[in-house]
Amino acid sequence: MTDQYAVIGSPIGHTKSPLIHGLFAQETQQDMSYTAIEGPVEPQDAFAGAVRAFGAAGGKGMNVTAPFKLKAFAMADACSERAELAGAANALRFENGQIVAENFDGLGLVRDIEVNLGLPMAGKRVLMLGAGGAVRGALLPFLAARPAELVIANRDVAKGQALVAQVGGRGPLLACGYGDLEAMGRFDLVVNATSASLTGDLPPVPPGVFSPEGTAYELAYGKRLTPFLRLARNAGVRGVADGVGMLVEQAAEAFAWWRGMRPQTRSVIDRLTVPLD
Ligand code: ATR
């Protein structure tokens, strides 16, 4: 029987996940279907009901996107450490009547940077802008990549400091405000993990953080040169990238978790890439 998977979110109209997983399934010859489900936002418990119904009907797994990642995590019976730290799930697996939660966003981001862009983070100075869900999901995979230093800058500094208190023991993690960055020198990699680009805003990052031979990475994708990437370009950075590779790599991680085999990602990334210029 064809195994059933789906992505659930609201609004779900623009999701690329069915296309991505469809291409993965074709390439690896998996007998599976992958659909998009518009999740119920109201009433409060309707989302959990929709997920349980999908599992009860024989569904094997789901991807979860905004605004349901926290609810998906909260309703799971078990979870990975990554999902626990993020407090959010972007992938679920139904097994033996249980729901297991994972979060592959950070892992997908690290894989895109290290494998696709060819930039190992070991020994590098890395700056991450933001301290919200996207950063919480990325912290453990980033620290596992052994940067020389991982700095998280956020408007609300206390939020960054709370993350340091939680996982600072795992590696060289530091939190600061944007004003402190002036004195911190250049970084090899600067990742914009704020939600500023979604509204066309620019986090107040001083251009001095960029190094010309370094890389600027925008988590948002398909938005061409965002104000953040433009700032990096103007500061002389040659390596600028958006999050299309991360999108495909997190999907590949989920696919491997569900199906026990890793699809190739290059052609899928190429197909979904919207040129920055
Ligand atoms: P996500 O899950 O996308 O990370 P979130 O948890 O709501 O969303 O977090 C949004 C992040 O973007 C926060 O770090 C927020 O900063 P504050 O915690 O200081 O509010 C950051 N952010 C949003 N808009 C921003 C802007 N215009 N400039 C700088 N940071 C911004």
Side-chain angles (χ1 to χ4, degrees):
M1 204 184 92
T2 302
D3 290 336
Q4 314 280 329
Y5 296 85
V7 57
I8 186 165
S10 183
I12 200 63
H14 292 111
T15 182
K16 303 277 186 240
S17 294
L19 170 64
I20 296 170
H21 283 280
L23 292 168
F24 288 167
Q26 209 172 44
E27 186 231 327
T28 55
Q29 302 192 319
Q30 295 293 290
D31 184 11
M32 59 185 275
S33 74
Y34 189 107
T35 53
I37 297 175
E38 178 71 35
V41 176
E42 295 287 345
Q44 265 302 327
D45 56 354
F47 168 76
V51 169
R52 289 208 174 87
F54 188 77
K60 299 278 188 204
M62 294 181 104
N63 279 125
V64 181
T65 187
F68 299 124
K69 290 183 182 184
L70 304 186
K71 279 187 173 175
F73 170 76
M75 71 176 290
D77 301 298
C79 70
S80 70
E81 197 186 14
R82 281 189 294 269
E84 178 139 36
L85 176 64
N90 87 324
L92 300 174
R93 193 162 75 180
F94 301 98
E95 51 186 56
N96 310 320
Q98 294 230 311
I99 298 174
V100 184
E102 254 291 9
N103 189 319
F104 294 120
D105 287 332
L107 210 55
L109 173 58
V110 169
R111 220 183 140 85
D112 189 40
I113 292 168
E114 296 209 309
V115 179
N116 299 332
L117 302 179
L119 303 165
M121 271 190 259
K124 298 284 165 50
R125 295 193 78 214
V126 178
L127 170 62
M128 184 115 71
L129 309 178
V135 171
R136 283 199 309 274
L139 280 184
L140 289 183
F142 265 59
L143 288 175
R146 311 202 78 61
E149 189 175 20
L150 176 57
V151 175
I152 40 182
N154 199 43
R155 291 182 306 196
D156 178 351
V157 182
K159 232 152 114 182
Q161 285 167 339
L163 290 176
V164 173
Q166 220 178 333
V167 291
R170 302 290 190 93
L173 182 65
L174 246 128
C176 68
Y178 286 97
D180 305 317
L181 290 172
E182 298 274 8
M184 295 182 80
R186 297 177 189 277
F187 290 83
D188 302 297
L189 171 67
V190 184
V191 178
N192 182 16
T194 70
S195 51
S197 303
L198 302 179
T199 46
D201 288 335
L202 176 66
V205 56
V209 299
F210 296 106
S211 97
E213 56 287 347
T215 301
Y217 194 106
E218 171 73 75
L219 241 59
Y221 64 90
K223 297 197 172 296
R224 299 188 179 264
L225 269 191
T226 59
F228 167 76
L229 292 180
R230 207 175 285 281
L231 180 77
R233 274 266 179 92
N234 291 340
V237 178
R238 278 190 305 276
V240 296
D242 76 0
V244 64
M246 171 193 179
L247 172 73
V248 176
E249 291 297 341
Q250 65 74 27
E253 295 294 334
F255 190 94
W257 186 49
W258 292 328
R259 307 301 300 179
M261 64 184 70
R262 191 162 225 297
Q264 68 86 23
T265 51
R266 187 69 260 169
S267 65
V268 182
I269 293 172
D270 290 344
R271 184 157 165 176
L272 291 180
T273 295
V274 177
L276 291 176
D277 294 293

